[in-house]
Each structure stands twice: as C-alpha cells, then as structure tokens.
Amino acid sequence: MAAGLVLDGAMATELEARGCDLTDALWSAKVLIENPELIYQVHYDYFNAGAQVAITASYQATPLGFAKRGLSEEQSLTLIARSVELASRARADYKAAEPQAGNLLIAGSVGPYGAYLADGSEYRGDYSLPQAEMMAFHRPRIQALVAAGADILACETMPSFAEIQALVALLAEFPGTPAWFSFTLRDGEHLSDGTPLSQVVSVLESCPQAVALGLNCIALDKVTAALQTLSSLTKKPLVVYPNSGEQYDAISKTWHSDASTCTLIDNLSAWQSAGAKLIGGCCRTTPADIAAIAQRCHSR
C-alpha cells in the first residue's frame, strides 16, 4: 500500500468480546473508568496484528457524558488523557518487543455530538447546535487529547455538515495538530444528514490540517461507491474503516449477521484502487481482520 497506513479495528465490540457490558450511554468510555488495562491490551493486540495507527478509546468520552455519572470536568479530562496514555504505553511496549516496528501513530478519537446523545443519531445527523456551542462541546476533549500527546485527531463517524464545519473552525485553535475526517453516509454521494459530499469536501479542501478524509462505521457494500465519489472530488488521501458486514440495530443495541457479506480483505483491492490510503476496521472487526489487511499490504 504505497504511502499508506494500516489502522486498527474495533475497540468497543472487541471489549465486548472480552467480557465488557457496554449497554451503556458511555459505551467504551465506561471502560476507561472500570478496566483501563483491558483497553491497553486491545491496543497492544492491534499493534501486534500489524496496525500502524491506534485510535484512542475517547469516541464517547466527553465532559458532558461523564458529568451524567457525577464526574467533574477535571476527572473527565483525566480520563480522556488516559485514553491517549493507554495507547501510547501499548505502542511503547510493542516497539520494545519488536524493535523493527516502524513509525506507529496515536489517533485521538473525536466522536460526534450524536455519540454523546447515544440514540443512534451519528447515523442520521438529525441534531443541531449553534456553532459556538458545538465548538464548546468538542473543545475540552480535543485539548485533552492534544495535551496528552495524540499525533493526529480522528474526527470520526461524522454525520453532520454543520458539525464538520464547527470542527474545522475549532482546529484553528490547535494549529500544530493534523486531523482526518471520516463520515457516515446516507448513500454514495451524501452525508447522513443529506449534504452532498461535494459540499463537505469543498470545506475540507480549504483546511490544511485536514490531512485525510473518508468514511467509517458504514456497511461494507456502501464503501467502494463512496470512495469513488470522494476520489473524484479530492486529491487528499482517503481513509476507510467500515464495519464488519453485520448490521447494527440502534434500538436493541444488538448486531445481526448477514451470511452473504464479504470480509474487509475481500474488498481491499477495490478500496485501494479507489484511492484509500488509510485502511482499517470499525465495529465488529477484530485483530484477525487487521492482521489480514496488514499482511496483504506489507507483502506489497
């Protein structure tokens, strides 16, 4: 994969596979409080599988979300910083065990406001806040992630054009920090809220800190067409980390398998041909999925 990077796979569903109960509004952020060493182990296992980028367990970690558990803002920011520290420690330990490992990055996860709402709206984008309020929601987490040493921000699972615009404005307050933006989609040409991808790309094209853009947490069969749309609109590297192929029911908070669905590795060549340079997995993907991608990419 020329000039490309292998991302890690799912954090939350991997934690569930290891015994965590995440039927909770905090989702994987709950484990930052209850069992942080398990997060460290998941990060380590992804590095060991060949991932070159670890995405922190901060997707649903926000001061507003933690406040509902009675935590102060200071305690919340400590937990957000912990998400970076766990990934950084896994990286250091892996590099100590495998000195030949190349450059490994920590991406600070910045989930959407819809994730805080915990009602599935990160797949619809049917929420709104004034831009100043949206920036105020995201600012403390980004400050904590940057201060803790994240190499890049992963502004991920973004369904809302207004929220993407707010994050672009907020990034200007952190001029030394690059970010990627990845979206959820209504179809191959529209953001979940209905905004044409051409309009989204035009905003990100004018943001030098947006070093890659693409999609995550969408169904496998929607990926290639969307990548082809994006590659026709931008020269920036494309990022893709879709779900395993199973379908999520936001009401019952359960996953349902489709036996006919292909795997990530089956789609890899098509995604690379469409311009994907940062490739990994989202919900229900595993270290084994990432190992298959890494093996294919590194063999080239």
Side-chain angles (χ1 to χ4, degrees):
M1 187 166 61
L5 289 171
V6 178
L7 308 182
D8 62 8
M11 172 58 71
T13 56
E14 188 65 16
L15 290 170
E16 286 181 318
R18 300 179 192 213
C20 296
D21 177 7
L22 300 186
T23 53
D24 187 285
L26 284 178
W27 210 34
S28 58
K30 166 179 182 257
V31 188
L32 287 169
I33 304 169
E34 297 177 351
N35 193 355
E37 288 304 304
L38 196 56
I39 293 173
Y40 158 87
Q41 190 61 55
V42 173
H43 283 312
Y44 189 96
D45 289 350
Y46 278 122
F47 282 132
N48 196 44
Q52 296 161 294
V53 183
I55 302 173
T56 62
S58 52
Y59 175 80
Q60 215 133 327
T62 63
L64 274 182
F66 285 134
K68 292 182 177 180
R69 296 299 165 85
L71 298 178
S72 68
E73 178 153 336
E74 182 180 0
Q75 290 171 314
S76 300
L77 297 178
T78 297
L79 288 169
I80 293 166
R82 178 180 292 170
S83 74
V84 179
E85 291 155 6
L86 292 165
S88 298
R89 180 157 58 89
R91 172 175 63 181
D93 289 352
Y94 177 70
K95 291 189 81 166
E98 302 289 342
Q100 78 282 3
N103 194 28
L104 305 176
L105 301 176
I106 307 301
S109 174
V110 179
Y113 186 77
Y116 156 71
L117 296 175
D119 61 358
S121 56
E122 61 260 63
Y123 307 107
R124 302 188 305 271
D126 56 354
Y127 54 84
S128 63
L129 284 178
Q131 185 171 89
E133 289 183 32
M134 188 64 81
M135 292 170 69
F137 169 79
H138 284 293
R139 185 178 288 111
R141 172 170 49 185
I142 289 178
Q143 285 175 326
L145 292 170
V146 171
D151 300 303
I152 186 171
L153 298 174
C155 300
E156 56 181 357
T157 327
M158 291 288 156
S160 159
F161 182 50
E163 186 165 20
I164 291 167
Q165 291 176 296
L167 281 164
V168 167
L170 184 56
L171 274 181
E173 299 177 15
F174 305 88
T177 303
W180 79 61
F181 284 78
S182 54
F183 328 122
T184 62
L185 303 177
R186 178 173 295 183
D187 55 45
E189 297 183 352
H190 296 85
L191 208 60
S192 289
D193 70 359
T195 305
L197 289 178
S198 57
Q199 195 174 345
V200 180
V201 171
S202 68
V203 167
L204 294 176
E205 282 286 296
S206 64
C207 176
Q209 287 168 259
V211 296
L213 56 92
L215 32 122
N216 77 291
C217 209
I218 71 169
L220 282 177
D221 60 358
K222 303 291 194 295
V223 171
T224 303
L227 286 175
Q228 290 168 342
T229 298
L230 289 171
S231 66
S232 73
L233 297 169
T234 183
K235 298 300 183 186
K236 289 182 187 277
L238 299 185
V239 55
V240 57
Y241 48 117
N243 296 335
S244 66
E246 295 169 274
Q247 302 298 312
Y248 183 65
D249 183 331
I251 303 302
S252 65
K253 293 184 167 50
T254 56
W255 291 86
H256 303 282
S257 179
D258 178 355
S260 67
T261 304
C262 294
T263 64
L264 270 67
I265 196 68
D266 295 328
N267 292 275
L268 183 61
S269 294
W271 298 345
Q272 290 174 318
S273 296
K277 297 293 187 187
L278 297 86
I279 302 176
C282 203
C283 296
R284 303 290 277 190
T285 60
T286 67
D289 292 312
I290 300 308
I293 290 173
Q295 184 174 13
R296 178 81 62 84
C297 292
H298 296 162
S299 69
R300 294 182 178 179

